């Protein structure tokens, strides 16, 4: 799965999410973050996703099949 699979972020603070694409296989190599409209194939090496969370709460992410999951907790900035 994804490691780490839980993050705490601050609302309205830009995020640079760096993902190491080593040892990805199968559906794990396709990341989806529905709340942010992100769908990204994770390539070998470093991958970068940038966004700014605009509301407090949780942002779920998973592989394309929903087997590997994680959550970002957005707190007051």
């Amino acid at each position: 799965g994804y490691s780490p699979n839980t993050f705490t972020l601050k609302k309205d603070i830009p995020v640079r999410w760096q993902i190491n694409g080593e040892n990805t296989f199968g559906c794990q190599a396709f990341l989806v973050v529905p709340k942010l409209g992100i769908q990204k194939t994770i390539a070998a090496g470093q991958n970068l996703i940038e966004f700014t969370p605009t509301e407090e709460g949780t942002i779920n992410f998973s592989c394309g099949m929903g087997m590997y999951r994680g959550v970002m907790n957005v707190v007051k900035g």
Side-chain angles (χ1 to χ4, degrees):
Y2 301 115
S3 180
N5 65 353
T6 303
F7 303 75
T8 299
L9 309 174
K10 291 186 178 181
K11 179 183 175 226
D12 297 323
I13 304 295
V15 174
R16 290 177 49 93
W17 187 10
Q18 294 184 317
I19 301 169
N20 183 343
E22 291 182 35
N23 301 317
T24 55
F25 57 91
C27 67
Q28 176 180 316
F30 189 71
L31 179 73
V32 293
V33 189
K35 196 169 194 176
L36 300 177
I38 296 170
Q39 297 183 9
K40 181 168 178 74
T41 299
I42 304 301
Q46 294 297 315
N47 297 264
L48 179 64
I49 298 174
E50 296 181 287
F51 65 94
T52 301
T54 58
E55 56 187 58
E56 294 176 43
T58 59
I59 299 173
N60 296 308
F61 62 94
S62 71
C63 68
M65 294 180 66
M67 294 173 58
Y68 302 103
R69 299 172 186 226
V71 65
M72 295 178 250
N73 297 300
V74 182
V75 298
K76 187 174 183 177

